[in-house]
Amino acid sequence: MAVQPIDQFATTLPADKRASVYQSTKTTHEKRTKLLFDQFPDPNRLRQLAGDIKQHAIENLDTLLPQVEARLRANGAQVHWAATAESACETVLRIMQARGAKRMVKAKTMVSEEIELAHYLEKHGMEALETDLGEFIVQIDDDHPSHIVRPIIHKNRREIATSFEREGLGAYNDDPATITQRARVFLRHKYLAADVGLTGANFVSAESGRIVLVTNEGNSRFCLAATKCHIALVGIEKIVPRDRDLGVLLNLLGRSGTAQDLTVYTEFISGPKSPAQPDGPEEMHVIFVDNGRTEVLASECREILRCIRCGACLNVCPVYRQASGHAYRSVYPGPVGAVLSPLLARDKFPQLADLPKASSLCGACHEVCPVNIPIPDLLLRLRNRAKEESVPSPGTPPMGAWALMASQPTAWKAALAGGKLMNYVPTKLIPVPALQAWAEKRELPDWRGGEFRKWLRNRRR
Ligand code: SF4
């Protein structure tokens, strides 16, 4: 029995990294639950409402997108549409070249990771510097984020101090305050020298054309404070119909993602500098990125487009806690990534078709999702799609053999007796190769089978 790629990664993850990912996600999840249930009489109703708002938005993109374009233009922004990752990158490059710009400072945006913008710009001779502390560390290490909200959840402070020393940011010092201070000093100079500031958008209101950005470090503000040009890269699913919808979504985003009432900085950007708004960049470009989203919208998994990238489903997922984010081999890890990444991969679906199987379907991701996405149902639909498209499925247990055994009392009893032996037989001596490969990757708990049958027999007497 071949082993799934995600399993392979999980088995090679160092124990200390696994332990720190586990502890960190568990703590955030527990705080999130306490906060929500302490502060709202029925958080589930709020999640339902938020889900309905986002579902309505994604089902009405055909009217909301023209509406938001008109509002943004009326506010003085220039609007661009990018069907693919390549066209989004090209549009950013064109805007920079037209201004003679060379240096960009970037706030954290998942969509820029998705289209690999920083690498593209670097290849074309531009500097694209990450300013979110976690993303900055990922960039200097030439690494990849492993969590949507906390990109360096897989790193410890000693590793970060070593990277800072290597990059000439000071002698080795793993005190977190010193690390932060050094990044701060370095980045301040970069903000002042940059030509362009790039952000994403957590939400865009179709009613007002306002772009909403939330951060905890305030770096998106710095990106826009000294630069003359603001580029916002926005996935088309980020639209909400009305300003008042933001009240519901912002209340849930901070609490679900980082267990905060509200993220430290919440910015509402209405357009570029104007007589009525004398601060900020003089030019503003909003690039709406599709990159497979309309195909997701047309699929039977469209609910995943409600996602507001809070990371709560990662924090609660037993598979993510064991495997960490790189195991998902895509920008979006965890349960949301197990659905979204294979869908966005389009013709590369078979390469990521193992991800929907990386779940016990326990339902915890659905229970915490602030926009009530039925993630387990979507995982099942994707498993079904893989089956219909005959995607090879290494690691799938032989369910036909299981059905045969479970429907034959004698075979079942024999299997129970054999199961007991698994605790005593060394893995290498297991006679069935598929079972041996399976057992090699797992620590079996002590066998407790057979108790139910004994109990039932005694009860009948
Ligand atoms: S799927 Fe739900 S819980 Fe997961 S990141 Fe998206 S909004 Fe958060």
Side-chain angles (χ1 to χ4, degrees), residues 305-353:
L305 292 177
R306 291 184 206 160
C307 176
I308 57 172
R309 311 284 191 263
C310 72
C313 59
L314 281 64
N315 295 338
V316 78
C317 177
V319 176
Y320 178 87
R321 285 178 176 179
Q322 290 299 314
S324 184
H326 290 166
Y328 292 80
R329 313 184 311 281
S330 64
V331 173
Y332 303 104
V336 57
V339 178
L340 192 56
S341 300
L343 288 168
L344 290 180
R346 288 175 281 180
D347 54 334
K348 298 202 187 86
F349 175 78
Q351 278 100 302
L352 295 176

Short mmCIF file of all heavy atoms in Angstrom, two decimals, residues 305-353:
data_model
loop_
_atom_site.label_atom_id
_atom_site.label_comp_id
_atom_site.label_asym_id
_atom_site.label_seq_id
_atom_site.Cartn_x
_atom_site.Cartn_y
_atom_site.Cartn_z
N LEU A 305 -15.71 29.43 -1.49
CA LEU A 305 -15.40 30.84 -1.81
C LEU A 305 -15.92 31.80 -0.74
O LEU A 305 -15.62 32.98 -0.77
CB LEU A 305 -15.98 31.22 -3.18
CG LEU A 305 -15.34 30.53 -4.38
CD1 LEU A 305 -16.05 30.93 -5.67
CD2 LEU A 305 -13.85 30.87 -4.49
N ARG A 306 -16.67 31.29 0.23
CA ARG A 306 -17.06 32.15 1.36
C ARG A 306 -15.87 32.47 2.26
O ARG A 306 -15.93 33.39 3.08
CB ARG A 306 -18.07 31.42 2.25
CG ARG A 306 -19.41 31.18 1.68
CD ARG A 306 -20.23 30.53 2.81
NE ARG A 306 -21.29 29.70 2.29
CZ ARG A 306 -21.88 28.74 2.99
NH1 ARG A 306 -21.51 28.47 4.23
NH2 ARG A 306 -22.85 28.04 2.48
N CYS A 307 -14.84 31.66 2.18
CA CYS A 307 -13.73 31.70 3.15
C CYS A 307 -13.17 33.10 3.36
O CYS A 307 -12.90 33.83 2.40
CB CYS A 307 -12.61 30.76 2.66
SG CYS A 307 -11.16 30.82 3.70
N ILE A 308 -12.99 33.48 4.62
CA ILE A 308 -12.41 34.80 4.92
C ILE A 308 -10.99 34.66 5.48
O ILE A 308 -10.46 35.58 6.09
CB ILE A 308 -13.32 35.61 5.88
CG1 ILE A 308 -13.58 34.85 7.18
CG2 ILE A 308 -14.62 36.01 5.20
CD1 ILE A 308 -14.30 35.68 8.25
N ARG A 309 -10.38 33.50 5.25
CA ARG A 309 -8.96 33.27 5.56
C ARG A 309 -8.63 33.57 7.03
O ARG A 309 -7.65 34.25 7.33
CB ARG A 309 -8.05 34.14 4.68
CG ARG A 309 -8.36 34.10 3.20
CD ARG A 309 -7.89 32.82 2.54
NE ARG A 309 -7.98 32.95 1.10
CZ ARG A 309 -8.99 32.51 0.34
NH1 ARG A 309 -10.03 31.89 0.90
NH2 ARG A 309 -8.97 32.66 -0.96
N CYS A 310 -9.44 33.03 7.93
CA CYS A 310 -9.19 33.29 9.35
C CYS A 310 -8.22 32.28 9.95
O CYS A 310 -7.60 32.52 10.97
CB CYS A 310 -10.50 33.29 10.13
SG CYS A 310 -11.20 31.64 10.30
N GLY A 311 -8.15 31.09 9.37
CA GLY A 311 -7.23 30.06 9.87
C GLY A 311 -7.80 29.21 11.00
O GLY A 311 -7.11 28.32 11.49
N ALA A 312 -9.05 29.45 11.40
CA ALA A 312 -9.60 28.70 12.54
C ALA A 312 -9.69 27.20 12.24
O ALA A 312 -9.49 26.36 13.13
CB ALA A 312 -10.99 29.23 12.91
N CYS A 313 -9.96 26.86 10.98
CA CYS A 313 -10.09 25.43 10.65
C CYS A 313 -8.73 24.73 10.71
O CYS A 313 -8.65 23.55 11.01
CB CYS A 313 -10.76 25.23 9.29
SG CYS A 313 -9.92 25.99 7.91
N LEU A 314 -7.65 25.48 10.46
CA LEU A 314 -6.31 24.90 10.59
C LEU A 314 -6.04 24.61 12.07
O LEU A 314 -5.53 23.55 12.44
CB LEU A 314 -5.24 25.86 10.08
CG LEU A 314 -4.99 25.99 8.58
CD1 LEU A 314 -6.19 26.56 7.83
CD2 LEU A 314 -3.79 26.87 8.34
N ASN A 315 -6.39 25.60 12.91
CA ASN A 315 -6.05 25.50 14.32
C ASN A 315 -6.73 24.31 15.00
O ASN A 315 -6.19 23.75 15.95
CB ASN A 315 -6.44 26.79 15.05
CG ASN A 315 -5.62 27.96 14.57
OD1 ASN A 315 -4.54 27.78 14.02
ND2 ASN A 315 -6.13 29.16 14.76
N VAL A 316 -7.90 23.93 14.51
CA VAL A 316 -8.64 22.86 15.19
C VAL A 316 -8.42 21.49 14.54
O VAL A 316 -8.74 20.47 15.12
CB VAL A 316 -10.15 23.22 15.21
CG1 VAL A 316 -10.82 22.95 13.86
CG2 VAL A 316 -10.89 22.50 16.32
N CYS A 317 -7.80 21.49 13.37
CA CYS A 317 -7.74 20.24 12.58
C CYS A 317 -6.67 19.28 13.14
O CYS A 317 -5.49 19.63 13.20
CB CYS A 317 -7.42 20.57 11.12
SG CYS A 317 -7.22 19.09 10.11
N PRO A 318 -7.06 18.06 13.51
CA PRO A 318 -6.07 17.11 14.04
C PRO A 318 -5.01 16.73 13.00
O PRO A 318 -3.88 16.42 13.35
CB PRO A 318 -6.90 15.89 14.45
CG PRO A 318 -8.23 16.06 13.80
CD PRO A 318 -8.42 17.51 13.51
N VAL A 319 -5.37 16.78 11.72
CA VAL A 319 -4.39 16.43 10.68
C VAL A 319 -3.38 17.56 10.53
O VAL A 319 -2.17 17.33 10.50
CB VAL A 319 -5.11 16.14 9.34
CG1 VAL A 319 -4.09 15.86 8.24
CG2 VAL A 319 -6.05 14.96 9.50
N TYR A 320 -3.87 18.80 10.46
CA TYR A 320 -2.94 19.94 10.36
C TYR A 320 -2.00 19.96 11.56
O TYR A 320 -0.80 20.20 11.42
CB TYR A 320 -3.73 21.26 10.27
CG TYR A 320 -2.79 22.45 10.21
CD1 TYR A 320 -2.28 22.91 9.00
CD2 TYR A 320 -2.35 23.07 11.39
CE1 TYR A 320 -1.37 23.95 8.95
CE2 TYR A 320 -1.44 24.11 11.35
CZ TYR A 320 -0.96 24.55 10.13
OH TYR A 320 -0.05 25.58 10.09
N ARG A 321 -2.54 19.70 12.73
CA ARG A 321 -1.70 19.75 13.95
C ARG A 321 -0.58 18.72 13.91
O ARG A 321 0.46 18.91 14.51
CB ARG A 321 -2.58 19.51 15.19
CG ARG A 321 -3.43 20.70 15.55
CD ARG A 321 -4.30 20.36 16.75
NE ARG A 321 -5.08 21.48 17.21
CZ ARG A 321 -5.93 21.41 18.23
NH1 ARG A 321 -6.09 20.27 18.88
NH2 ARG A 321 -6.61 22.47 18.58
N GLN A 322 -0.82 17.61 13.24
CA GLN A 322 0.22 16.58 13.14
C GLN A 322 1.16 16.81 11.96
O GLN A 322 2.35 16.55 12.06
CB GLN A 322 -0.44 15.19 12.97
CG GLN A 322 -1.16 14.68 14.20
CD GLN A 322 -0.23 14.50 15.38
OE1 GLN A 322 0.85 13.95 15.25
NE2 GLN A 322 -0.64 14.99 16.54
N ALA A 323 0.59 17.31 10.86
CA ALA A 323 1.39 17.36 9.62
C ALA A 323 2.01 18.73 9.38
O ALA A 323 2.99 18.85 8.66
CB ALA A 323 0.50 16.99 8.44
N SER A 324 1.42 19.79 9.93
CA SER A 324 1.82 21.17 9.69
C SER A 324 1.54 21.57 8.23
O SER A 324 1.13 20.74 7.42
CB SER A 324 3.29 21.37 10.06
OG SER A 324 3.62 22.74 9.91
N GLY A 325 1.78 22.86 7.93
CA GLY A 325 1.26 23.41 6.68
C GLY A 325 1.96 22.98 5.40
O GLY A 325 1.33 22.84 4.36
N HIS A 326 3.27 22.74 5.45
CA HIS A 326 3.98 22.42 4.20
C HIS A 326 3.52 21.09 3.62
O HIS A 326 3.69 20.83 2.44
CB HIS A 326 5.48 22.40 4.45
CG HIS A 326 6.04 23.77 4.71
ND1 HIS A 326 7.29 23.98 5.23
CD2 HIS A 326 5.51 25.00 4.53
CE1 HIS A 326 7.51 25.29 5.36
NE2 HIS A 326 6.44 25.91 4.94
N ALA A 327 2.94 20.24 4.47
CA ALA A 327 2.48 18.94 3.98
C ALA A 327 1.41 19.10 2.91
O ALA A 327 1.20 18.20 2.10
CB ALA A 327 1.92 18.13 5.15
N TYR A 328 0.73 20.25 2.90
CA TYR A 328 -0.36 20.45 1.94
C TYR A 328 0.14 20.91 0.57
O TYR A 328 -0.64 21.02 -0.36
CB TYR A 328 -1.39 21.43 2.51
CG TYR A 328 -2.14 20.86 3.69
CD1 TYR A 328 -1.58 20.86 4.96
CD2 TYR A 328 -3.41 20.32 3.53
CE1 TYR A 328 -2.24 20.32 6.05
CE2 TYR A 328 -4.09 19.78 4.61
CZ TYR A 328 -3.50 19.79 5.87
OH TYR A 328 -4.17 19.26 6.94
N ARG A 329 1.46 21.22 0.48
CA ARG A 329 2.10 21.50 -0.80
C ARG A 329 1.39 22.57 -1.62
O ARG A 329 1.32 22.52 -2.84
CB ARG A 329 2.20 20.20 -1.64
CG ARG A 329 2.73 19.04 -0.82
CD ARG A 329 2.94 17.79 -1.60
NE ARG A 329 1.86 17.36 -2.44
CZ ARG A 329 0.77 16.72 -2.02
NH1 ARG A 329 0.60 16.45 -0.74
NH2 ARG A 329 -0.14 16.35 -2.89
N SER A 330 0.83 23.55 -0.95
CA SER A 330 0.14 24.63 -1.66
C SER A 330 0.07 25.83 -0.72
O SER A 330 0.40 25.73 0.46
CB SER A 330 -1.26 24.19 -2.06
OG SER A 330 -2.02 23.95 -0.92
N VAL A 331 -0.38 26.94 -1.27
CA VAL A 331 -0.43 28.18 -0.47
C VAL A 331 -1.46 28.07 0.66
O VAL A 331 -1.28 28.65 1.72
CB VAL A 331 -0.81 29.35 -1.42
CG1 VAL A 331 -1.05 30.62 -0.65
CG2 VAL A 331 0.28 29.54 -2.45
N TYR A 332 -2.54 27.32 0.39
CA TYR A 332 -3.62 27.22 1.38
C TYR A 332 -3.55 25.87 2.07
O TYR A 332 -3.92 24.85 1.48
CB TYR A 332 -4.98 27.41 0.68
CG TYR A 332 -5.09 28.71 -0.07
CD1 TYR A 332 -4.99 28.75 -1.45
CD2 TYR A 332 -5.26 29.92 0.61
CE1 TYR A 332 -5.06 29.95 -2.14
CE2 TYR A 332 -5.33 31.12 -0.07
CZ TYR A 332 -5.23 31.12 -1.45
OH TYR A 332 -5.29 32.32 -2.13
N PRO A 333 -3.08 25.83 3.32
CA PRO A 333 -3.00 24.54 4.01
C PRO A 333 -4.28 24.24 4.81
O PRO A 333 -5.22 25.03 4.82
CB PRO A 333 -1.80 24.74 4.95
CG PRO A 333 -1.79 26.20 5.24
CD PRO A 333 -2.45 26.90 4.09
N GLY A 334 -4.25 23.13 5.51
CA GLY A 334 -5.34 22.78 6.42
C GLY A 334 -6.61 22.42 5.67
O GLY A 334 -6.61 22.25 4.45
N PRO A 335 -7.71 22.34 6.40
CA PRO A 335 -8.97 21.92 5.77
C PRO A 335 -9.39 22.83 4.60
O PRO A 335 -9.83 22.36 3.57
CB PRO A 335 -9.98 22.00 6.92
CG PRO A 335 -9.15 21.74 8.14
CD PRO A 335 -7.83 22.40 7.87
N VAL A 336 -9.21 24.16 4.76
CA VAL A 336 -9.59 25.04 3.65
C VAL A 336 -8.73 24.73 2.43
O VAL A 336 -9.23 24.67 1.29
CB VAL A 336 -9.51 26.54 4.05
CG1 VAL A 336 -8.14 26.94 4.55
CG2 VAL A 336 -9.88 27.43 2.86
N GLY A 337 -7.45 24.48 2.65
CA GLY A 337 -6.55 24.17 1.54
C GLY A 337 -6.87 22.82 0.91
O GLY A 337 -6.71 22.65 -0.30
N ALA A 338 -7.33 21.87 1.75
CA ALA A 338 -7.65 20.55 1.21
C ALA A 338 -8.79 20.63 0.20
O ALA A 338 -8.94 19.76 -0.66
CB ALA A 338 -8.02 19.60 2.35
N VAL A 339 -9.61 21.68 0.33
CA VAL A 339 -10.69 21.88 -0.65
C VAL A 339 -10.24 22.84 -1.75
O VAL A 339 -10.33 22.55 -2.94
CB VAL A 339 -11.96 22.45 0.04
CG1 VAL A 339 -13.06 22.70 -0.99
CG2 VAL A 339 -12.45 21.51 1.12
N LEU A 340 -9.71 23.99 -1.32
CA LEU A 340 -9.44 25.07 -2.29
C LEU A 340 -8.26 24.75 -3.22
O LEU A 340 -8.32 25.03 -4.42
CB LEU A 340 -9.18 26.37 -1.51
CG LEU A 340 -9.17 27.65 -2.33
CD1 LEU A 340 -10.48 27.84 -3.10
CD2 LEU A 340 -8.94 28.86 -1.42
N SER A 341 -7.21 24.19 -2.67
CA SER A 341 -6.00 24.01 -3.49
C SER A 341 -6.23 23.07 -4.68
O SER A 341 -5.86 23.42 -5.80
CB SER A 341 -4.84 23.51 -2.63
OG SER A 341 -4.57 24.45 -1.63
N PRO A 342 -6.84 21.89 -4.48
CA PRO A 342 -7.08 21.05 -5.66
C PRO A 342 -8.00 21.73 -6.67
O PRO A 342 -7.84 21.54 -7.87
CB PRO A 342 -7.76 19.79 -5.09
CG PRO A 342 -7.48 19.81 -3.64
CD PRO A 342 -7.29 21.23 -3.24
N LEU A 343 -8.94 22.53 -6.18
CA LEU A 343 -9.86 23.20 -7.11
C LEU A 343 -9.13 24.27 -7.91
O LEU A 343 -9.29 24.38 -9.13
CB LEU A 343 -11.02 23.83 -6.34
CG LEU A 343 -12.06 22.85 -5.77
CD1 LEU A 343 -12.98 23.57 -4.80
CD2 LEU A 343 -12.88 22.23 -6.90
N LEU A 344 -8.32 25.09 -7.23
CA LEU A 344 -7.62 26.16 -7.94
C LEU A 344 -6.53 25.59 -8.85
O LEU A 344 -6.12 26.24 -9.81
CB LEU A 344 -6.99 27.15 -6.94
CG LEU A 344 -7.98 28.04 -6.17
CD1 LEU A 344 -7.23 28.98 -5.23
CD2 LEU A 344 -8.87 28.86 -7.10
N ALA A 345 -6.07 24.39 -8.52
CA ALA A 345 -5.01 23.78 -9.34
C ALA A 345 -5.53 23.41 -10.73
O ALA A 345 -4.75 23.18 -11.64
CB ALA A 345 -4.44 22.56 -8.65
N ARG A 346 -6.84 23.31 -10.89
CA ARG A 346 -7.49 22.96 -12.16
C ARG A 346 -6.90 21.71 -12.81
O ARG A 346 -7.04 20.64 -12.28
CB ARG A 346 -7.47 24.17 -13.10
CG ARG A 346 -8.47 25.22 -12.60
CD ARG A 346 -8.44 26.47 -13.40
NE ARG A 346 -7.32 27.29 -13.00
CZ ARG A 346 -7.03 28.47 -13.54
NH1 ARG A 346 -7.78 28.94 -14.50
NH2 ARG A 346 -6.02 29.18 -13.10
N ASP A 347 -6.12 21.85 -13.90
CA ASP A 347 -5.65 20.64 -14.58
C ASP A 347 -4.64 19.86 -13.75
O ASP A 347 -4.29 18.72 -14.05
CB ASP A 347 -5.08 20.97 -15.97
CG ASP A 347 -4.00 22.04 -15.88
OD1 ASP A 347 -4.04 22.83 -14.92
OD2 ASP A 347 -3.12 22.08 -16.76
N LYS A 348 -4.18 20.47 -12.64
CA LYS A 348 -3.25 19.71 -11.77
C LYS A 348 -4.02 19.06 -10.61
O LYS A 348 -3.42 18.67 -9.62
CB LYS A 348 -2.17 20.64 -11.23
CG LYS A 348 -1.30 21.25 -12.32
CD LYS A 348 0.05 21.71 -11.75
CE LYS A 348 0.83 22.47 -12.79
NZ LYS A 348 0.50 23.91 -12.86
N PHE A 349 -5.32 18.98 -10.75
CA PHE A 349 -6.14 18.37 -9.70
C PHE A 349 -5.61 16.99 -9.25
O PHE A 349 -5.50 16.74 -8.04
CB PHE A 349 -7.60 18.25 -10.17
CG PHE A 349 -8.50 17.53 -9.23
CD1 PHE A 349 -9.00 18.16 -8.10
CD2 PHE A 349 -8.86 16.19 -9.44
CE1 PHE A 349 -9.83 17.48 -7.21
CE2 PHE A 349 -9.68 15.51 -8.56
CZ PHE A 349 -10.17 16.16 -7.45
N PRO A 350 -5.22 16.12 -10.17
CA PRO A 350 -4.75 14.79 -9.71
C PRO A 350 -3.56 14.88 -8.76
O PRO A 350 -3.45 14.06 -7.86
CB PRO A 350 -4.36 14.09 -11.02
CG PRO A 350 -5.20 14.75 -12.07
CD PRO A 350 -5.31 16.18 -11.65
N GLN A 351 -2.69 15.88 -8.96
CA GLN A 351 -1.51 15.97 -8.08
C GLN A 351 -1.88 16.33 -6.64
O GLN A 351 -1.13 16.06 -5.72
CB GLN A 351 -0.52 17.02 -8.58
CG GLN A 351 0.40 16.53 -9.68
CD GLN A 351 -0.07 16.98 -11.05
OE1 GLN A 351 -1.20 16.68 -11.44
NE2 GLN A 351 0.75 17.71 -11.77
N LEU A 352 -3.04 16.99 -6.46
CA LEU A 352 -3.43 17.39 -5.10
C LEU A 352 -4.67 16.63 -4.62
O LEU A 352 -5.25 16.98 -3.60
CB LEU A 352 -3.68 18.90 -5.05
CG LEU A 352 -2.44 19.79 -5.31
CD1 LEU A 352 -2.82 21.25 -5.32
CD2 LEU A 352 -1.37 19.56 -4.25
N ALA A 353 -5.05 15.60 -5.39
CA ALA A 353 -6.29 14.90 -5.04
C ALA A 353 -6.18 14.09 -3.76
O ALA A 353 -7.17 13.60 -3.24
CB ALA A 353 -6.72 13.99 -6.20
#
